[in-house]
Amino acid sequence: FLYAAHGCIYYDVKGQSSASGREPVVLFRGLGRSSRHWLGFDEQLAQHYQVITLDARGLGRTQAPMDFGTSVFDLASDAIAILDELGIAKAHFMGVSLGGMITLATGLKFPERVETLTVINSSIAGLKRSRLTLGAMHSLARAVTRPINHEYSLTPMLVESNDPDRLREIIDHHIDIQRAEGIPYRTVVK
């Protein structure tokens, strides 16, 4: 945990240290997803890199709440504070969806700390129109009232798989994470 003024930020480090020649990579997940949602990708990547995952404010094992004023630049600052704690001067950054926005914000705010940026399924979030289909909006709205059941409709939209058993395994894993962590986004209203 990184102990910050706004609360504790959970992070994990896998793979050998950067001092042993392994380049550090910071991974950010998307909206409502914690570091547990990497589903082993982080472990595979750790065979070649020092992998740093974190749970953004309001998610997973992080105890710091997210409030309505929290920006992607604030979340980027959290990641840089973790690098400072680990004594890492520069890292590769990779993010999916909201994590991609945090990755871009890291590059804008801290260019001297960034080796490379990898942005996946994301945008700069500057459009004034919805980027979700009506079906996806409906699934997200249902998720608020039925957090466990939404995985059955949401996961097939996010994960491409022709193997129904593999898809069911991913859904079950997501449900287990949600049971362990609760409903995503612990927020605080000022």
Side-chain angles (χ1 to χ4, degrees):
F1 285 99
L2 169 71
Y3 295 95
H6 49 267
C8 299
I9 306 292
Y10 174 84
Y11 70 93
D12 185 39
V13 179
K14 290 181 173 62
Q16 296 178 10
S17 74
S18 57
S20 67
R22 297 278 173 108
E23 294 183 59
V25 178
V26 179
L27 302 179
F28 298 107
R29 282 301 312 208
L31 182 67
R33 300 295 192 204
S34 72
S35 59
R36 291 178 179 168
H37 285 90
W38 285 110
L39 305 178
F41 174 76
D42 52 337
E43 293 167 3
Q44 290 178 350
L45 198 59
Q47 294 174 20
H48 306 283
Y49 296 91
Q50 179 188 31
V51 177
I52 302 150
T53 58
L54 62 139
D55 292 347
R57 296 182 200 184
L59 288 173
R61 293 162 278 188
T62 285
Q63 297 167 2
M66 181 179 289
D67 64 39
F68 293 108
T70 303
S71 73
V72 291
F73 294 99
D74 296 327
L75 302 176
S77 294
D78 292 344
I80 295 301
I82 289 167
L83 291 184
D84 289 345
E85 183 169 283
L86 295 171
I88 297 172
K90 209 169 188 178
H92 300 277
F93 290 83
M94 184 178 99
V96 178
S97 192
L98 174 62
M101 293 176 195
I102 300 167
T103 296
L104 290 170
T106 304
L108 288 169
K109 188 172 181 179
F110 304 100
E112 73 284 356
R113 303 298 297 271
V114 174
E115 192 68 44
T116 62
L117 299 174
T118 303
V119 178
I120 304 164
N121 293 338
S122 193
S123 73
I124 58 170
L127 298 176
K128 299 284 188 217
R129 61 182 174 80
S130 175
R131 291 184 284 282
L132 297 174
T133 65
L134 286 176
M137 281 189 239
H138 180 62
S139 290
L140 289 173
R142 283 194 343 233
V144 174
T145 58
R146 297 181 294 180
I148 297 296
N149 294 332
H150 89 284
E151 290 294 348
Y152 293 102
S153 57
L154 189 59
T155 301
M157 286 191 276
L158 300 173
V159 177
E160 184 177 326
S161 178
N162 294 328
D163 181 354
D165 292 333
R166 177 66 180 138
L167 189 58
R168 176 61 192 203
E169 180 184 332
I170 292 169
I171 291 169
D172 288 345
H173 190 72
H174 285 182
I175 289 170
D176 289 344
I177 293 168
Q178 203 163 73
R179 285 187 177 128
E181 295 179 355
I183 297 172
Y185 290 120
R186 291 176 296 285
T187 59
V188 98
V189 179
K190 292 180 179 177

